[in-house]
Amino acid sequence: MDDEDNIPKTWDEIIHGEGGHCPVCQRWGKVYGRSINKTMARSLIWLCKAWAANAPKLWVDVPNTAPRSVIRTNQLPTLAWWGLVERCPKNDNNKTKYSGLWRPTQKGLDFYTGAIKIPNKVFTYNNMVERYGGVEVFIHECFDNHFNYQEVMQSNFDD
């Protein structure tokens, strides 16, 4: 065994590597990389369309209006890491953890319309964004080669 193997790693080195348990609280820690995918892109497309159809209301009631394909995958909240969607702040009168109300951000609308690219990868630690990486992509690049972007844009998302 090398002397280097006996040198304790810093917490930063641990979480950016294989991950490990915190020496203080024993909680598992690791920086996770997540790539934007077609399920996330479909969720954003649905939310942008539902939000536009919902005007003049500011928020979309996702649990009660989204198709099963959006609810089942639970990928919509992940889009917040890219700043594409936002959750309605919790009402103190509500006993649930979250309201279920969401809306696209301006960045989300711009990505949805193909006006901007975003990094295809986000790195998070403790559910907070650490950094972005990978290549920048347009929304249509989140889908397989045989994907028809226009077809999805015209879809009514019925299950």
Side-chain angles (χ1 to χ4, degrees):
M1 187 183 303
D2 293 77
D3 286 340
E4 289 180 12
D5 291 336
N6 294 325
I7 298 173
K9 292 183 177 181
T10 66
W11 183 241
D12 193 58
E13 291 172 322
I14 292 169
I15 64 172
H16 283 90
E18 296 296 314
H21 290 93
C22 173
V24 176
C25 69
Q26 295 304 308
R27 184 174 175 202
W28 177 262
K30 177 161 177 51
V31 172
Y32 291 99
R34 162 86 47 84
S35 296
I36 192 162
N37 60 46
K38 66 182 176 182
T39 305
M40 293 175 203
R42 271 187 70 84
S43 294
L44 179 64
I45 290 168
W46 173 83
L47 181 65
C48 289
K49 291 171 82 171
W51 178 81
N54 203 30
K57 293 182 179 178
L58 295 176
W59 301 95
V60 176
D61 184 349
V62 173
N64 292 312
T65 62
R68 283 188 315 224
S69 61
V70 171
I71 301 291
R72 194 176 16 207
T73 63
N74 199 29
Q75 293 294 296
L76 187 66
T78 307
L79 295 168
W81 288 335
W82 281 271
L84 301 175
V85 300
E86 61 184 340
R87 185 189 313 252
C88 182
K90 185 180 180 305
N91 179 339
D92 289 335
N93 296 331
N94 192 341
K95 292 182 175 147
T96 60
K97 188 174 181 180
Y98 299 111
S99 67
L101 302 177
W102 289 86
R103 69 179 174 196
T105 62
Q106 185 60 53
K107 183 178 180 182
L109 291 167
D110 290 343
F111 184 61
Y112 157 73
T113 62
I116 64 168
K117 289 181 169 186
I118 63 167
N120 74 336
K121 198 156 190 155
V122 64
F123 295 88
T124 61
Y125 172 68
N126 201 20
N127 208 29
M128 300 291 293
V129 173
E130 276 222 341
R131 65 184 169 85
Y132 299 95
V135 298
E136 291 204 340
V137 295
F138 284 110
I139 193 166
H140 67 86
E141 295 174 299
C142 297
F143 297 90
D144 296 332
N145 292 336
H146 58 278
F147 169 72
N148 184 330
Y149 180 73
Q150 292 302 324
E151 182 179 304
V152 170
M153 294 299 283
Q154 295 168 359
S155 169
N156 63 10
F157 287 89
D158 288 336
D159 282 322

